[in-house]
Amino acid sequence: MFAPERIRIIKGILLDKKHINVSDLSTMLNVSEVTIRRDLEKLEREKFLIRTHGGAIINDESFLEQDKYIDIDDDPYYEQRLEIAEIAMHMVDDNDVILLSPGLTNLYIAKKILNKRNVTVLTNDLNIASELAANASMKVIIPGGDLDAASMTLAGKLTEENLRNFFVSKVFIEVEGVSMQRGYTVQSMARASAIKEMMNIARERIIVCIYKCFDNIGFSQIGPLTIANKVITNPSIPDQYKNYFFENNIQLFTAFNSYEGGI
């Protein structure tokens, strides 16, 4: 087993159990204890863990820093995306099977569900897949397709064909525009086409977007507002949308985790 794979597994175990034992890891990964100690030293230098006698514990402070990482990425909507991710996290159960469409808000969701157990995640966003790889108990499936290097996402005919082979309990679709006239939209035609396939393979369709997306229209349409079962956003969206979701039995979740619509 190569070092990067060992590191990935060790990180996953630490995220799950918070502590690890050198002897157990040596047996599990079929390498010497000397090799495991070197791996732990590397992770300690990265501030991921703190070595102890015979093992290591997770460095909780590093996770506080990890959360700040998004903030220092110059995301002006850090708080808004974090609010949405907090709500979405409570919709994902252990042993769940979900799909995350490409997008920064969905990346926040990926970070938030890292402590879930045995969750299967289908995604065409390689940033999300990479984030989820930190949890060894999580199964990540990438459908393949044409890579957009700028966004690190996959799209195209192969992506859409492969998506049809799956079925998920929930799909979290991140959109860039929400309007009464054009429904849900994104800027990329290829992304919109892939999202339409995602909508067809999910029992529950959940739209996620920050408040700035409302009354904004992207280049490519995904579908009308009624295609979603639930919408997760921030409280400060226009009242006409709140009324629309209520009248059309669409559940609306905002930062206060309040239920404002439907069912």
Side-chain angles (χ1 to χ4, degrees), residues 31-96:
V31 294
S32 70
E33 293 190 4
V34 172
T35 299
I36 294 298
R37 288 194 182 94
R38 287 176 182 160
D39 290 340
L40 297 185
E41 288 171 5
K42 179 179 186 300
L43 289 173
E44 189 174 50
R45 289 195 296 273
E46 295 176 2
K47 299 182 179 180
F48 186 85
L49 56 76
I50 299 170
R51 284 187 296 157
T52 61
H53 180 70
I57 59 174
I58 198 163
N59 183 358
D60 288 327
E61 291 186 2
S62 75
F63 284 88
L64 293 175
E65 293 299 321
Q66 186 176 356
D67 280 340
K68 290 176 183 175
Y69 175 74
I70 298 173
D71 196 10
I72 63 175
D73 248 356
D74 295 329
D75 177 10
Y77 303 111
Y78 170 79
E79 292 295 338
Q80 289 82 4
R81 294 188 206 280
L82 201 59
E83 290 170 354
I84 292 169
E86 290 277 359
I87 297 169
M89 176 185 67
H90 292 291
M91 295 182 181
V92 179
D93 304 315
D94 288 342
N95 305 304
D96 216 341

Side-chain angles (χ1 to χ4, degrees), residues 76 161 254:
E161 286 180 355
T254 68

Side-chain angles (χ1 to χ4, degrees), residues 71-249:
D71 196 10
I72 63 175
D73 248 356
D74 295 329
D75 177 10
Y77 303 111
Y78 170 79
E79 292 295 338
Q80 289 82 4
R81 294 188 206 280
L82 201 59
E83 290 170 354
I84 292 169
E86 290 277 359
I87 297 169
M89 176 185 67
H90 292 291
M91 295 182 181
V92 179
D93 304 315
D94 288 342
N95 305 304
D96 216 341
V97 180
I98 68 169
L99 193 160
L100 292 173
S101 77
L104 189 53
T105 306
N106 271 346
L107 179 59
Y108 280 58
I109 293 174
K111 288 177 179 289
K112 282 293 177 184
I113 64 172
L114 274 176
N115 289 331
K116 301 286 183 179
R117 297 180 61 82
N118 301 318
V119 174
T120 299
V121 181
L122 176 63
T123 183
N124 59 332
D125 187 322
L126 298 188
N127 291 316
I128 290 174
S130 176
E131 185 68 34
L132 294 171
N135 183 343
S137 79
M138 194 162 289
K139 187 173 184 178
V140 182
I141 298 174
I142 302 169
D146 301 328
L147 174 65
D148 176 3
S151 63
M152 293 300 287
T153 61
L154 301 166
K157 186 177 179 181
L158 181 61
T159 304
E160 294 170 21
E161 286 180 355
N162 288 339
L163 283 171
R164 296 184 199 120
N165 294 321
F166 301 102
F167 187 78
V168 299
S169 67
K170 306 175 186 82
V171 58
F172 293 87
I173 298 293
E174 182 165 355
V175 300
E176 296 163 313
V178 184
S179 86
M180 289 293 182
Q181 294 75 33
R182 297 291 295 168
Y184 302 111
T185 54
V186 292
Q187 295 298 345
S188 163
M189 287 176 59
R191 182 174 294 189
S193 185
I195 287 175
K196 288 175 182 175
E197 293 295 339
M198 295 173 183
M199 289 288 194
N200 292 329
I201 63 167
R203 182 178 296 115
E204 195 170 56
R205 303 165 172 177
I206 304 166
I207 296 292
V208 300
C209 62
I210 60 173
Y211 72 96
K212 290 285 287 184
C213 297
F214 284 80
D215 282 338
N216 182 53
I217 299 176
F219 178 69
S220 193
Q221 185 183 36
I222 298 170
L225 298 183
T226 51
I227 62 171
N229 308 107
K230 297 177 180 175
V231 175
I232 310 176
T233 185
N234 309 119
S236 53
I237 65 171
D239 286 342
Q240 63 173 325
Y241 290 97
K242 294 179 181 179
N243 295 334
Y244 182 90
F245 291 140
F246 178 79
E247 291 167 359
N248 287 275
N249 228 20

